[in-house]
C-alpha cells in the first residue's frame, strides 16, 4: 500500500511539472469538441436560394415564406428568367433555385396540382439531399394546409411532422458531444498510460525500479490511478463545453454517468498498459495508440451507425470498448435512460478491464532479459 | 558475499558473458575492468537479478538474486545510465526510492541527510535532478542506492563521464563506505581506476581473463616496459623491430613492451637509430596496470 502511494505521489509530481501533458488534458477536449461540433455539422442550413416567380401572387409569396421560415433556405435573390436561375446555380452564387409557373395561383385555387420547380446543385450531395428532402416536406405540409382550408375545417385535421425521435431538432452536436467524450477518453487514456510506462523504460528508470521490492501490480496501479482523475477532468471539460456551447441537454443522471464512466476508463487504461508491454519506445506507443484509436472511431458507431455495417465489421466493433461506452453515454445524456438498461454494456467494459489488466500485469516482468 | 559460477548469457547469437566464475568476499572492493561491449553490464545485471542467465548461477548471500524479494534492501544497485527521475528534485527522488522499500519518512530523511552530507549534495536538495551536473547526478544515484543501507553495492560504471576532480571525490566516498563494512562490486572502463580497487577482474569478450590485486598483477607481469618520446606518428614502425612484443601510444609517449631477460634499452635504441627514428627520451619504467591489461587483451585477441 505504501509503495502504491509512493508511485502515486511521484506520478502526481511529474504530471504537475509536465506542462505539455497538462495542456493536452485540457486542450484536447476543447479543441476536439469545437472542431467536431462546428466543422462536421452534418446538417446544412441557410442554403443560398434564388427565386424566379412568374406568378407573383399571394400564394407563391406564402409558399416562399414557408421556405424561408424553415431556416434551411435563404431566399435572397429574385431573377426574371430561367437562364438567370441556371447561371446563378452554375456560378455557385445559389445552391437552389425555385421557379413558380405563371399559372401557379390559378392551379392552387382550382385545386389542381400546382407544380413548383425546385432546382438543386447536385455537386454537393449533402446539400442537395437535404434541400430536396426539406423542399418535399414543405410542399407536403403546404398542400395539406391548403387542402384543409378548402374544406373549411378550422384547424388542420392532423399535423404531419417528421420527428427524429431522440434528437427532435436534428442538431448533430447533441449526438456528437457525448460521443466525443468517449473518443477523448480512449485517446488520452491509451496514449498517456502507455507512454507513461514506456517512458520509464526508455529513460532507464524502470531498471532502478526493478531492483526495488515493488510488485508489478503495485507499479501499474500507482502509475494508472492518476490518469483516472485526468480522464474525469477531460470528461467534465467536454461535457461543460457541450452544455455551454452546444446547449446539449443532459437528460439522465450525471452521477450515474460518472460512475459508469469509471468502467470505460479502466478498460482504456488496461489497453494502454497492454500497449506499453509491446511498445519499446514512446514513439511506438503513440503509433500503437493511434492504431487502436482509428478502428475505435470508425467501428464503434461514433461516425457511422453500426446497424448498416457488414456483419464482420459489426462483430469487430463488438471488440472495441468505445462501442459500449457510446451506448452508455448517449443513452444517459440523450435518452435519459439509467443503469438498468445498460447492464450489458457495463459488464462488457468490466470484462475488458479485467482481461487487459490481468494480461498486462502477468506479462510485466521485473527483468530486462 | 557473492558467488558466481559458470555464468553465461547470450543475446541471440551475441554471447555477452561466457562461463564466468568469480567470488566476492565481504568488504572487498572489486572492479570489473574491460572495454566497451565486454559484457560488464550484463554480468552486473545478472548479479542483481535483472537478467536471467542462460547457464550457471549467481548466489548473493547464499540466495539467487531474483528470489530475494524481501531482502532486496541488502543490495544497492546503480545502473550504468542515470536512472532517476529528472523531473523530480534530489530529495523527492530519495524519498520515492526510500518509500519503495517501505522505509518511513523520518528514517529516509535522516539517512538522506547523512548521505547527502557525505556526498556534498545537501545544498542541492531541492534542485531538479535534470539540472545537476554529471558528477552530482552520479552521486545522487549512489545516494539512492544507499538509502536502504545495503551490505552490497553494485555500481555499473559509476564514474563514467565524470570530471577527474569529481571522480576522486567519488572514490573517497567509496572508500569510506567500504571502511564502514560495505562490499562493493563495480565496473569501469578506466584503467587508472583499476589501481584503486582491492581486486581487479579483467573482462574481455565476455570472459574474465584475470583476477587479482593490482599489485600482484603488475608483479606477475613478465615484461619490461620502455617509455619512448619521439616524433613518429604511429606505432607500426616500432612493432616491426625484432624483440618488440607490443608497442602502443600512451598519453604523450609510446610504450614498448619487450621481454625481461635482455638488455633491451640499448638494443632498442640501436634499432631506432638504425631506422632514423628521432628519440627525445627512452627509458625503462615500472609497468602500469594499464600495460598489464593491454597485454592481457592482446593475448585474448591472438
Ligand atoms: N538487452 C540486450 N539485448 C541484446 N544484446 C545486448 C543486450 N545487452 C547487451 N547486449 C550485447 O551484449 C554485449 C555486452 O554488452 P554489455 O552492455 O554487457 O557490455 P559492457 O561491458 O557493459 O559495455 P559498455 O562499456 O559499453 O557499457 C554487447 O555486444 C551488447 O551489444
Ligand atoms: Mg555497460
Amino acid at each position: 500500500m505504501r509503495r502504491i502511494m509512493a508511485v502515486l505521489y511521484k506520478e502526481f509530481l511529474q504530471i504537475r511539472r509536465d506542462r505539455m501533458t497538462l495542456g493536452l488534458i485540457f486542450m484536447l477536449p476543447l479543441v476536439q469538441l469545437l472542431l467536431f461540433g462546428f466543422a462536421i455539422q452534418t446538417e446544412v442550413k441557410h442554403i443560398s436560394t434564388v427565386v424566379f416567380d412568374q406568378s407573383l401572387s399571394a400564394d407563391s409569396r406564402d409558399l416562399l415564406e414557408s421556405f424561408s421560415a424553415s431556416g434551411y433556405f435563404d431566399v435572397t435573390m429574385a431573377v426574371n428568367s430561367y437562364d438567370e436561375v441556371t447561371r446563378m446555380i452554375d456560378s455557385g452564387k445559389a445552391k437552389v433555385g425555385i421557379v413558380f409557373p405563371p399559372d401557379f395561383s390559378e392551379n392552387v385555387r382550382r385545386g389542381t396540382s400546382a407544380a413548383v420547380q425546385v432546382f438543386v446543385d447536385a455537386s454537393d450531395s449533402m446539400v442537395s439531399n437535404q434541400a430536396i428532402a426539406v423542399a418535399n416536406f414543405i410542399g407536403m405540409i403546404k398542400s395539406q394546409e391548403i387542402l384543409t382550408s378548402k374544406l373549411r375545417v378550422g384547424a388542420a385535421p392532423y399535423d404531419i411532422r417528421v420527428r427524429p425521435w431522440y434528437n427532435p431538432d436534428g442538431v448533430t452536436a447533441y449526438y456528437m458531444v457525448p460521443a466525443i467524450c468517449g473518443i477523448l477518453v480512449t485517446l488520452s487514456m491509451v496514449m498517456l498510460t502507455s507512454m507513461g510506462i514506456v517512458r520509464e523504460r526508455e529513460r532507464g528508470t524502470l531498471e532502478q525500479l526493478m531492483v526495488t521490492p515493488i510488485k508489478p501490480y503495485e507499479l501499474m496501479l500507482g502509475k494508472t490511478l492518476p490518469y483516472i482523475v485526468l480522464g474525469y477532468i477531460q470528461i467534465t471539460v467536454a461535457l461543460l463545453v457541450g452544455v455551454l456551447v452546444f446547449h446539449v441537454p443532459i437528460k439522465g443522471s450525471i452521477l450515474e454517468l460518472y460512475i459508469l464512466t469509471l468502467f470505460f476508463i479502466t478498460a482504456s487504461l488496461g489497453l494502454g498498459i497492454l500497449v506499453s508491454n509491446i511498445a519499446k519506445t514512446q514513439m511506438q506507443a503513440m503509433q500503437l495508440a493511434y492504431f487502436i484509436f482509428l478502428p475505435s472511431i470508425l467501428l464503434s458507431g461514433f461516425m457511422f451507425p453500426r446497424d448498416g455495417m457488414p456483419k464482420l465489421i459489426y462483430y469487430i466493433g463488438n471488440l472495441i470498448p468505445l462501442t459500449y461506452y457510446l451506448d452508455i453515454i448517449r443513452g444517459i445524456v440523450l435518452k435519459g435512460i439509467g443503469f438498468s438498461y445498460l447492464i450489458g454494456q457495463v459488464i462488457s467494459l468490466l470484462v475488458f478491464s479485467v482481461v487487459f489488466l490481468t494480461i498486462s500485469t502477468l506479462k510485466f516482468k521485473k527483468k530486462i532479459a | 558475499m557473492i558467488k558466481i559460477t559458470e555464468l553465461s548469457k547470450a543475446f541471440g547469437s551475441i554471447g555477452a558473458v561466457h562461463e564466468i566464475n568469480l567470488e566476492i568476499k565481504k568488504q572487498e572492493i572489486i572492479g570489473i575492468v574491460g572495454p566497451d561491449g565486454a559484457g560488464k553490464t550484463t554480468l552486473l545485471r545478472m548479479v542483481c537479478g535483472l537478467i536471467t542467465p542462460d547457464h550457471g548461477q549467481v548466489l548473493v548471500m547464499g540466495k539467487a538474486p531474483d528470489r530475494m524479494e524481501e531482502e532486496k534492501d541488502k543490495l544497492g544497485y546503480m545502473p550504468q545510465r542515470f536512472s532517476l527521475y529528472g523531473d523530480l528534485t534530489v530529495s523527492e527522488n530519495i524519498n520515492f526510492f526510500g518509500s519503495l522499500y517501505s522505509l518511513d519518512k523520518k528514517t529516509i530523511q535522516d539517512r538522506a541527510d547523512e548521505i547527502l552530507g557525505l556526498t556534498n549534495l545537501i545544498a542541492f536538495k531541492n534542485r531538479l535532478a535534470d539540472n545537476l551536473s554529471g558528477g552530482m547526478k552520479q552521486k545522487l544515484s549512489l545516494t539512492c542506492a544507499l538509502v536502504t543501507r545495503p551490505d552490497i553495492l553494485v555500481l555499473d560504471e559509476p564514474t563514467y563521464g565524470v570530471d577527474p576532480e569529481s571522480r576522486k571525490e567519488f572514490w573517497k566516498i567509496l572508500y569510506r563506505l567500504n571502511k564502514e563494512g560495505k562490499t562493493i562490486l563495480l565496473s569501469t572502463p578506466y584503467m587508472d581506476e583499476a589501481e584503486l580497487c582491492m581486486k581487479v577482474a579483467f573482462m574481455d569478450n565476455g570472459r574474465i581473463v584475470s583476477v587479482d590485486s593490482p599489485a600482484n598483477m603488475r608483479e606477475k607481469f613478465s615484461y619490461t616496459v620502455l617509455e619512448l618520446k619521439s616524433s613518429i606518428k604511429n606505432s607500426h614502425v616500432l612493432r616491426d623491430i625484432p624483440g618488440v612484443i607490443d608497442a602502443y601510444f600512451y598519453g604523450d609517449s609510446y610504450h614498448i613492451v619487450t621481454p625481461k631477460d635482455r638488455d633491451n634499452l640499448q638494443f632498442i635504441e640501436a634499432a631506432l637509430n638504425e631506422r632514423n627514428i628521432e628519440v627525445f627520451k627512452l627509458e625503462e619504467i615500472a609497468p602500469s596496470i594499464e600495460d598489464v591489461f593491454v597485454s592481457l587483451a592482446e593475448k585474448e585477441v591472438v
Side-chain angles (χ1 to χ4, degrees):
Chain A
M1 199 54 212
R2 178 180 272 143
R3 289 194 287 254
I4 298 177
M5 289 308 291
V7 180
L8 250 173
Y9 180 63
K10 181 216 90 179
E11 285 296 315
F12 270 115
L13 284 177
Q14 287 186 303
I15 292 170
R16 207 183 62 199
R17 284 178 194 149
D18 183 3
R19 294 269 156 81
M20 178 75 189
T21 303
L22 272 184
L24 214 66
I25 301 284
F26 285 100
M27 289 311 288
L28 213 63
L30 277 175
V31 172
Q32 289 242 359
L33 262 179
L34 295 177
L35 263 180
F36 273 100
F38 282 127
I40 314 185
Q41 286 266 20
T42 46
E43 268 225 332
V44 186
K45 287 202 169 186
H46 303 291
I47 307 168
S48 53
T49 306
V50 60
V51 64
F52 172 32
D53 187 354
Q54 303 174 68
S55 144
L56 291 170
S57 60
D59 292 309
S60 62
R61 270 196 300 280
D62 186 38
L63 185 55
L64 215 50
E65 193 86 350
S66 304
F67 271 85
S68 301
S70 73
Y72 290 95
F73 303 94
D74 277 356
V75 187
T76 47
M77 296 164 283
V79 294
N80 294 313
S81 71
Y82 269 108
D83 277 355
E84 278 176 279
V85 172
T86 324
R87 226 177 302 132
M88 294 293 256
I89 291 179
D90 284 348
S91 66
K93 288 198 182 108
K95 292 248 187 269
V96 172
I98 302 172
V99 177
F100 292 94
D103 54 357
F104 176 73
S105 189
E106 278 162 54
N107 283 340
V108 170
R109 266 154 229 293
R110 252 194 282 135
T112 54
S113 105
V116 180
Q117 277 176 293
V118 177
F119 299 89
V120 173
D121 174 6
S123 60
D124 184 341
S125 63
M126 193 87 114
V127 174
S128 56
N129 287 340
Q130 185 116 15
I132 292 167
V134 175
N136 275 332
F137 188 51
I138 293 173
M140 210 153 72
I141 295 173
K142 269 333 247 192
S143 359
Q144 207 73 37
E145 259 175 41
I146 292 164
L147 211 63
T148 48
S149 70
K150 281 248 156 77
L151 295 168
R152 299 182 199 290
V153 180
Y158 42 82
D159 177 22
I160 304 170
R161 236 193 273 168
V162 181
R163 288 187 63 186
W165 198 250
Y166 291 116
N167 189 359
D169 299 322
V171 179
T172 42
Y174 286 13
Y175 204 58
M176 294 300 264
V177 168
I180 289 168
C181 293
I183 288 283
L184 284 172
V185 173
T186 309
L187 185 61
S188 33
M189 291 302 104
V190 174
M191 205 143 91
L192 291 177
T193 39
S194 57
M195 285 174 66
I197 295 171
V198 172
R199 183 160 48 228
E200 300 243 1
R201 187 169 294 144
E202 233 180 6
R203 292 198 187 155
T205 48
L206 204 56
E207 185 169 355
Q208 189 79 66
L209 282 178
M210 282 175 185
V211 296
T212 72
I214 195 163
K215 303 206 166 50
Y217 81 89
E218 293 170 333
L219 181 61
M220 294 298 150
L221 272 181
K223 277 203 77 79
T224 49
L225 284 177
Y227 292 105
I228 294 184
V229 177
L230 296 185
Y232 273 118
I233 292 177
Q234 281 201 318
I235 295 247
T236 308
V237 173
L239 284 177
L240 275 176
V241 173
V243 171
L244 297 178
V245 179
F246 297 104
H247 310 292
V248 176
I250 298 179
K251 294 245 176 76
S253 143
I254 296 240
L255 181 67
E256 218 162 337
L257 177 63
Y258 272 60
I259 294 172
L260 298 193
T261 294
L262 181 64
F263 296 96
F264 179 57
I265 293 182
T266 49
S268 305
L269 288 177
L271 211 53
I273 304 178
L274 211 57
V275 166
S276 71
N277 267 314
I278 303 164
K280 293 268 179 298
T281 62
Q282 289 190 71
M283 197 64 204
Q284 286 177 2
M286 195 135 104
Q287 283 165 346
L288 269 170
Y290 269 106
F291 186 71
I292 289 170
F293 182 55
L294 269 179
S296 288
I297 285 194
L298 297 175
L299 308 184
S300 64
F302 170 70
M303 291 282 243
F304 317 108
R306 293 204 333 124
D307 293 330
M309 290 178 185
K311 270 270 175 312
L312 178 68
I313 303 288
Y314 184 88
Y315 288 131
I316 295 177
N318 280 343
L319 299 176
I320 295 171
L322 183 60
T323 307
Y324 303 96
Y325 187 60
L326 287 188
D327 287 346
I328 292 177
I329 193 166
R330 278 178 177 156
I332 293 180
V333 172
L334 300 177
K335 301 184 203 170
I337 59 176
F339 176 65
S340 48
Y341 291 92
L342 298 166
I343 291 178
Q345 280 80 354
V346 172
I347 290 177
S348 306
L349 288 180
L350 199 63
V351 170
F352 278 122
S353 310
V354 171
V355 170
F356 291 156
L357 290 172
T358 312
I359 293 179
S360 10
T361 308
L362 289 181
K363 259 202 90 191
F364 185 85
K365 290 268 163 12
K366 283 170 73 179
K367 291 266 182 188
I368 289 170
Chain B
M1 292 295 266
I2 303 176
K3 197 170 159 58
I4 298 168
T5 34
E6 304 275 303
L7 197 65
S8 299
K9 176 76 193 177
F11 298 103
S13 58
I14 308 166
V17 167
H18 281 291
E19 293 174 7
I20 284 186
N21 291 294
L22 190 64
E23 193 168 348
I24 297 143
K25 299 203 183 69
K26 194 169 161 48
Q27 225 175 333
E28 255 178 354
I29 300 182
I30 179 159
I32 314 281
V33 188
D36 288 351
K40 307 182 292 289
T41 300
T42 309
L43 175 63
L44 296 187
R45 280 176 171 168
M46 285 194 278
V47 170
C48 296
L50 294 174
I51 290 180
T52 317
D54 295 338
H55 300 289
Q57 67 169 355
V58 180
L59 291 179
V60 179
M61 294 185 282
K63 276 196 175 177
D66 48 359
R67 297 216 185 287
M68 45 190 289
E69 270 317 302
E70 293 315 314
E71 292 123 311
K72 281 215 180 269
D73 55 345
K74 300 277 199 306
L75 191 148
Y77 173 54
M78 183 177 155
Q80 177 167 357
R81 263 177 73 198
F82 181 67
S83 304
L84 303 177
Y85 297 95
D87 45 359
L88 296 187
T89 64
V90 169
S91 53
E92 281 165 356
N93 266 301
I94 299 172
N95 280 331
F96 172 62
F97 283 100
S99 31
L100 289 187
Y101 290 95
S102 307
L103 300 173
D104 62 74
K105 267 217 148 61
K106 178 91 177 56
T107 315
I108 299 172
Q109 217 56 58
D110 291 348
R111 290 188 190 176
D113 284 349
E114 184 197 322
I115 315 165
L116 288 177
L118 188 77
T119 52
N120 277 328
L121 273 182
I122 208 110
F124 304 100
K125 254 176 108 165
N126 295 317
R127 196 181 278 199
L128 291 184
D130 266 345
N131 300 338
L132 295 175
S133 73
M136 288 198 273
K137 274 185 185 163
Q138 297 303 85
K139 285 191 205 160
L140 174 58
S141 296
L142 181 67
T143 309
C144 284
L146 283 171
V147 77
T148 59
R149 298 223 162 114
D151 298 323
I152 302 174
L153 273 176
V154 176
L155 315 173
D156 196 356
E157 300 192 15
T159 55
Y160 185 78
V162 173
D163 64 272
E165 206 45 48
S166 306
R167 269 166 66 185
K168 248 184 240 161
E169 218 179 314
F170 198 93
W171 271 93
K172 267 188 206 147
I173 299 168
L174 290 187
Y175 274 116
R176 212 173 130 175
L177 291 168
N178 177 251
K179 230 190 228 150
E180 290 167 10
K182 296 201 192 314
T183 309
I184 300 174
L185 167 62
L186 61 88
S187 75
T188 175
Y190 300 119
M191 301 297 175
D192 55 341
E193 283 192 346
E195 210 85 50
L196 301 169
C197 301
M198 297 174 183
K199 219 183 192 184
V200 177
F202 182 65
M203 196 168 179
D204 195 28
N205 269 321
R207 289 170 212 278
I208 289 192
V209 186
S210 165
V211 193
D212 214 332
S213 70
N216 279 347
M217 275 203 176
R218 264 179 284 133
E219 192 95 347
K220 277 195 261 170
F221 189 65
S222 47
Y223 305 102
T224 302
V225 178
L226 305 178
E227 186 185 46
L228 165 73
K229 289 199 179 181
S230 168
S231 59
I232 53 166
K233 292 281 178 291
N234 65 57
S235 57
H236 290 304
V237 277
L238 302 177
R239 283 193 203 150
D240 292 339
I241 300 173
V244 168
I245 291 168
D246 197 9
Y248 42 85
F249 198 61
Y250 187 100
D252 57 349
S253 57
Y254 291 92
H255 280 193
I256 302 171
V257 181
T258 61
K260 249 186 180 147
D261 53 343
R262 286 170 63 169
D263 200 359
N264 303 300
L265 202 54
Q266 278 132 40
F267 181 82
I268 297 289
E269 194 157 23
L272 289 173
N273 287 334
E274 204 175 290
R275 287 170 172 74
N276 288 325
I277 294 171
E278 235 179 324
V279 177
F280 301 143
K281 184 181 165 198
L282 182 69
E283 64 182 23
E284 184 174 337
I285 53 164
S288 70
I289 197 89
E290 197 159 352
D291 293 313
V292 179
F293 287 139
V294 171
S295 83
L296 283 171
E298 304 262 316
K299 263 190 221 155
E300 182 64 18
V301 172
V302 173

